[in-house]
Amino acid sequence: MARKHHEESEKDNPTSFGKELLQWAGALIAAVILAVFINQVLLVNAEIPSGSMENTIMPGDRVFGNRLAYTFGEPDRFDVIIFRYPDDESQLFIKRVIGLPGETVEIHDGHIYLNHSAEPLDDVDIKEPMEGSFGPYTVPEGCYFVMGDNRNDSKDSRFWDHTFVSEDEIVGKAVFRYWPLNQMKFI
């Protein structure tokens, strides 16, 4: 009986209710701070708006990018990066790194050549054979030449006013497609 009386008095005690409310508010604030930290420091969440990266990533797919991927290193050829579009930094783009700093990129009859090589680049699987000839483009230090995997339908380094993606425009490395759920995969 004494225990029941004690429990009833706790429920009626405004101090106990206030403590519980403060605990819930503290947990909610901590969750919001953690979510903001993850979103601003660890991960970038991107939705794919166009078909420029087909068939690797499709329109409407959602991907996570690792914001810390290049903290102690630089992008490698064929990395898929998320970056601020050089012609309008308010937009995020996602493309594949083709040319590294200091390299010359040239495209002849749909084949990519680096540094005037006689052999074309052993490229990744792309949606369809690329058409056209472009370049040459000499990639400045601290910059990258990028292309979409759907090479015939991609607004990429070949067509921009500001041809190259600078290191400071790179937001992260695309690492995981999480949407649609039935097609989750590492990129």
Side-chain angles (χ1 to χ4, degrees):
M1 179 106 171
R3 183 168 190 209
K4 186 176 182 181
H5 177 70
H6 177 71
E7 288 174 2
E8 286 175 3
S9 66
E10 271 189 15
K11 287 180 186 175
D12 296 334
N13 184 348
T15 306
S16 175
F17 175 74
K19 285 181 184 178
E20 186 172 338
L21 186 61
L22 281 175
Q23 287 174 338
W24 277 102
L28 181 61
I29 290 169
V32 167
I33 290 171
L34 182 61
V36 168
F37 173 79
I38 289 170
N39 190 45
Q40 295 298 313
V41 177
L42 300 178
L43 295 177
V44 58
N45 180 10
E47 181 175 357
I48 309 308
S50 74
S52 70
M53 284 298 292
E54 288 179 359
N55 287 330
T56 305
I57 308 167
M58 305 301 283
D61 286 359
R62 295 198 66 92
V63 299
F64 283 131
N66 178 357
R67 288 184 185 270
L68 301 177
Y70 304 119
T71 302
F72 301 108
E74 299 173 352
D76 292 321
R77 186 176 336 280
F78 303 129
D79 281 0
V80 176
I81 61 171
I82 301 167
F83 57 92
R84 289 185 301 280
Y85 174 40
D87 289 346
D88 177 1
E89 290 193 8
S90 69
Q91 297 181 55
L92 286 183
F93 272 35
I94 185 167
K95 305 284 182 206
R96 189 175 299 278
V97 172
I98 300 298
L100 302 175
E103 293 182 333
T104 298
V105 178
E106 205 161 352
I107 302 164
H108 292 288
D109 298 323
H111 297 284
I112 302 169
Y113 296 86
L114 299 176
N115 300 322
H116 311 289
S117 171
E119 293 296 316
L121 178 67
D122 187 17
D123 205 356
V124 296
D125 285 333
I126 56 177
K127 182 176 181 185
E128 60 192 16
M130 182 172 41
E131 298 172 358
S133 297
F134 304 89
Y137 307 95
T138 300
V139 184
E141 289 302 317
C143 293
Y144 299 87
F145 184 89
V146 298
M147 297 174 74
D149 287 357
N150 185 358
R151 303 276 160 81
N152 295 322
D153 190 20
S154 175
K155 184 177 180 184
D156 53 37
S157 285
R158 296 170 291 171
F159 305 107
W160 300 336
D161 291 334
H162 299 91
T163 304
F164 307 102
V165 176
S166 65
E167 287 176 348
D168 65 335
E169 291 168 327
I170 298 173
V171 176
K173 178 181 180 180
V175 292
F176 187 71
R177 176 175 61 192
Y178 70 90
W179 186 263
L181 292 175
N182 65 342
Q183 295 177 9
M184 288 191 290
K185 73 173 188 173
F186 287 98
I187 299 170

